[in-house]
Amino acid sequence: MSERYEIHITYKEDASSYETFKNVASLMLAIDDLNNAIAKSFSEEIETEAVIDEIANGSIRIWLRDKLKSLPDDKLKAYVKEPREAIADLLVTIKRKIVKALDNPEGIESRVPQIVKEEIENSEIKAAGYAVHKAKLLESVGKLSNAAGSFDIPPTLLIEGERMTIVNAYTFDPRNVEGVTMREQHTRGTFVIKKPDLVGESRWTIIFDRNIDVTIADREWLERLHKREISITPGDMLDAELKIETYLDEEDMSVIDTKYYITKVYGIVPPSKPVMRQLIE
């Protein structure tokens, strides 16, 4: 089986070159992330990287191959004669089936891990043992799907003569994934408003040790803001209660995702009057 595969990106004539190549970079990183999530099924020590073999003229056509940066050869060779070739073939095969699965995202949380399990079961790698990391795998599929959604025209993937469209059809939500646990923390304090949304209901950016995106869940306060009963000026801070939801993979307790919500706004604080942050249970 050929280890090479092609990403084909068609862009509009008036497309921004900066945005186009930024989106290409995001797509490449998403492919890397998916490769590594699949590879962790074989061994935690494996690291992969999608490397460029060729770039064709015309619309953006990039030929890639999956390079194994690190591999516990001695462990795997006890079970597999050529572990690098076997894993490289599996990465391409599984990637193809996952991209096709995105065409019908219903039930994808159970179908994608099953795809990986079935392909490993039908390979010689099975003898070395494996463990499918469901949460990390689905998170990487979400990144690939979202990266594809950045393009005006969806990119395509060509593997072994079969061309498939990478569609933006799946958004990873850790709350829908089995094997993910959530820890909740509340903190009351003042948070510098970095980027407010004064019209819609999308997320704001505030400073909480670093920039974080938060959802304002205090509907009553939002309604007053939209009615212009509350004004915000540069440098103002929110005196508010922040809820932090941290989602952990139960297999190794690694952080999968973190979500932030402002559950209660007590007022707007000028930058000259900070209030000490305090934890509340």
Side-chain angles (χ1 to χ4, degrees), residues 9-186:
I9 296 161
T10 304
Y11 51 90
K12 296 180 179 179
E13 291 184 2
D14 59 349
S16 162
S17 58
Y18 171 78
E19 289 296 327
T20 298
F21 283 99
K22 184 179 74 172
N23 293 340
V24 170
S26 295
L27 184 62
M28 295 279 290
L29 288 172
I31 291 172
D32 261 347
D33 199 69
L34 178 58
N35 282 337
N36 279 292
I38 297 170
K40 295 301 180 189
S41 301
F42 318 126
S43 170
E44 290 288 341
E45 299 176 48
I46 297 176
E47 292 184 21
T48 73
E49 180 181 35
V51 297
I52 297 174
D53 260 7
E54 177 185 348
I55 298 180
N57 292 328
S59 54
I60 302 175
R61 296 174 60 212
I62 306 172
W63 285 94
L64 304 172
R65 60 183 175 83
D66 300 326
K67 177 183 177 182
L68 300 178
K69 295 168 61 178
S70 62
L71 184 72
D73 283 341
D74 294 339
K75 295 179 183 178
L76 292 175
K77 280 184 176 179
Y79 304 94
V80 185
K81 185 177 180 181
E82 297 291 343
R84 289 182 178 270
E85 291 183 11
I87 291 174
D89 285 348
L90 275 174
L91 287 177
V92 174
T93 299
I94 292 171
K95 203 160 30 248
R96 174 172 58 184
K97 293 197 172 185
I98 287 175
V99 170
K100 292 177 73 172
L102 283 171
D103 286 337
N104 179 19
E106 185 176 352
I108 202 166
E109 282 88 1
S110 59
R111 288 192 293 119
V112 163
Q114 188 63 27
I115 287 171
V116 177
K117 181 179 178 181
E118 289 177 356
E119 290 302 319
I120 297 175
E121 284 286 331
N122 293 327
S123 74
E124 56 182 337
I125 289 290
K126 172 187 175 182
Y130 68 93
V132 179
H133 298 279
K134 182 183 294 185
K136 290 184 178 67
L137 181 63
L138 291 169
E139 182 186 23
S140 68
V141 173
K143 288 180 180 178
L144 178 65
S145 182
N146 292 339
S150 300
F151 297 92
D152 292 324
I153 303 171
T156 62
L157 179 69
L158 177 66
I159 297 179
E160 293 286 298
E162 182 179 7
R163 186 171 297 281
M164 299 152 285
T165 300
I166 308 175
V167 297
N168 182 19
Y170 174 64
T171 299
F172 174 73
D173 187 340
R175 293 170 294 189
N176 297 332
V177 180
E178 183 183 351
V180 173
T181 188
M182 189 269 284
R183 291 181 178 174
E184 186 174 308
Q185 178 187 10
H186 295 258

